[in-house]
């Protein structure tokens, strides 16, 4: 059992609060992704789990063991950093074999471990080369392979695919996910790339300024962002957001260009005493439909097409609603052109509402 448990873990560097009172349980055998913008504390949190930084406050458990005072080499974690730290005088094979020789594994057992992992990571043809004969992306995969063959209790991976080109990154990501599933080693994966986070995670921890802003499955976080920050950070293009006001007398949301009826899922939240007046209306680009004539529905925004960006499979359409910009996804052969007046409709169930002051999502009822 290798559950990782963090209890009120904080880290100060002098006066900088890098990680702020985090409570987190990472289930045995799962892949947890820490995702967030630069400087939000991802690496610091990972290094504390590895034992490379000491928490200022709080406790870290690996399995049932409190590891605050356990040195790195006794935690049985394997960490892959952005910088790969390979031994320059050894071949790729020797680099991967090194931790296994230290474990006193037999030569043929070492070979049996290394070959399938090297195959999966696309480095099997490089086993006789020295690190200086490799590209950055190849070195990164060797470092990853060396961690995987060790079969530690925990993998700690810090942006391990950052040096790969786009195609290789997507391929390696899939292989890595499959390897993690097969080995069922508890894994913490750090990235600032929201797409990588969504594709890999069993559980996603969206971090901001040292704190988890939301913890959930990728589906939960994407479908129900807890704050405007999460709505914008997770999803590409980000969730569209429009400022609006709640007008209780008319039971409607007033935007600069139109009024919308209250979506049914927010009736209860807005019927509470002192509902927020200033709100943010959120909707994903893919939730919008374009119409050339005004459709007969209450959930409609008049808009003007600003620019079209063909992406092959679809067209990204940027539109103006009054002074505000939104993005929609159109067909590859959309008839929209810049400057044209259109109407955008959205299903009320696809609408999100956030408190304009706190940025926190209003409670939904079904
Ligand atoms: N050794 C250190 N000494 C002082 N401040 C540090 C140290 N390490 C990190 N910090 C600060 O702590 C905060 C969190 O840094 P951290 O490296 O954990 O961020 P990150 O989320 O990994 O960012 P990135 O995506 O850029 O790698 C930042 O403000 C950073 O400047
Ligand atoms: Mg980092």
């Amino acid at each position: 059992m290798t559950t990782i448990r963090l209890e009120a873990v904080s880290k100060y560097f002098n006066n900088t609060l890098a990680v702020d009172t985090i409570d987190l349980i990472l289930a045995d055998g799962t892949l947890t992704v820490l995702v967030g913008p630069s400087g939000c504390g991802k690496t610091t949190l990972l290094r504390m789990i590895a034992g490379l930084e000491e928490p200022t406050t709080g406790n870290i458990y690996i399995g049932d063991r409190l590891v605050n005072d356990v040195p790195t080499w006794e935690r049985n974690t394997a960490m892959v950093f952005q910088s790969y730290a390979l031994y320059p005088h050894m071949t790729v094979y020797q680099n991967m074999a090194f931790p296994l020789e230290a474990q006193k594994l037999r030569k043929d057992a070492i070979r049996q471990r290394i070959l399938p992992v090297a195959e999966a990571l696309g480095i099997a043809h490089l086993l006789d080369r020295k690190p200086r004969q490799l590209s950055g992306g190849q070195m990164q995969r060797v470092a990853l392979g060396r961690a995987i063959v060790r079969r530690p209790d925990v993998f700690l991976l810090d942006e391990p695919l950052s040096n790969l080109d786009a195609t290789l990154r997507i391929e390696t990501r899939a292989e890595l996910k499959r390897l993690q599933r097969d080995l069922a080693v508890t894994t913490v994966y750090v990235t600032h790339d929201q797409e990588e986070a969504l594709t890999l995670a069993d559980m996603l921890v969206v971090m901001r300024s040292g704190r988890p802003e939301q913890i959930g499955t990728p589906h939960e976080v994407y479908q129900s962002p807890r704050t405007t920050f999460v709505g914008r950070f997770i999803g590409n293009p980000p969730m569209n957001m429009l400022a609006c006001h709640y007008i209780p007398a008319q039971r409607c949301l007033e935007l600069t260009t139109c009024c919308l009826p209250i979506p049914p899922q927010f009736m209860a939240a807005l019927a509470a005493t002192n509902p927020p007046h200033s709100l943010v209306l959120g909707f994903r680009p893919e939730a919008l439909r374009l119409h050339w004539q005004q459709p007969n529905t209450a959930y409609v925004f008049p808009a003007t097409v600003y620019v079209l960006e063909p992406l092959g499979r679809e067209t990204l359409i940027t539109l103006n609603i009054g002074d505000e910009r939104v993005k929609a996804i159109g067909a590859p052969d959309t008839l929209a052109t810049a400057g044209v007046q259109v109407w955008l409709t959205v299903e009320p169930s696809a609408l999100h509402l956030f408190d304009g002051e706190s940025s926190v999502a209003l409670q939904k009822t079904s």
Side-chain angles (χ1 to χ4, degrees), residues 92-134:
V92 167
Y93 186 88
Q94 288 164 341
N95 261 283
M96 290 175 79
F98 188 73
L100 305 180
E101 283 163 359
Q103 289 174 17
K104 307 261 183 283
L105 247 69
R106 289 210 337 259
K107 276 206 157 50
D108 52 340
I110 291 177
R111 199 161 195 86
Q112 274 168 19
R113 272 214 207 168
I114 290 178
L115 293 185
V117 172
E119 202 66 56
L121 293 174
I123 50 171
H125 61 297
L126 305 172
L127 290 173
D128 295 328
R129 289 207 202 163
K130 296 265 176 68
R132 70 182 136 72
Q133 299 166 308
L134 303 176

Side-chain angles (χ1 to χ4, degrees), residues 120 161 168-180 199-200:
L161 307 182
L168 201 52
R169 203 175 162 128
I170 292 171
E171 266 172 38
T172 314
R173 182 174 84 191
E175 291 299 337
L176 186 64
K177 183 165 185 175
R178 182 59 213 242
L179 277 167
Q180 195 277 335
T199 55
L200 285 173

Side-chain angles (χ1 to χ4, degrees), residues 16 39 42 67 71 89-90 110 114 122 141 147 153 192 228 230 263 272 286 312 324 335-336 347 365:
T16 310
K42 307 179 294 291
V67 296
H89 58 287
M90 293 184 188
I110 291 177
I114 290 178
R141 282 176 288 155
D153 293 336
H192 61 267
T228 52
V230 177
E286 65 270 25
E324 294 179 280
L335 299 174
E347 288 296 321
T365 48

Side-chain angles (χ1 to χ4, degrees), residues 13 16 18 36-45 53 82 159 190 192:
F13 292 107
T16 310
S38 184
C40 70
K42 307 179 294 291
T43 296
T44 306
L45 189 58
E53 295 291 352
Q82 239 175 302
E159 311 249 7
V190 163
H192 61 267

Side-chain angles (χ1 to χ4, degrees), residues 14-29:
N14 303 318
N15 290 327
T16 310
L17 181 56
V19 171
D20 181 9
T21 355
I22 290 193
D23 289 291
L24 201 57
I25 295 180
L26 314 180
D28 182 36

Side-chain angles (χ1 to χ4, degrees), residues 204 206 214-225 230 234 284:
L204 206 56
V206 184
Q214 184 167 9
I215 300 172
T217 63
H219 184 78
E220 283 163 359
V221 172
Y222 189 81
Q223 297 299 330
S224 307
V230 177
I234 301 293
R284 295 276 180 204

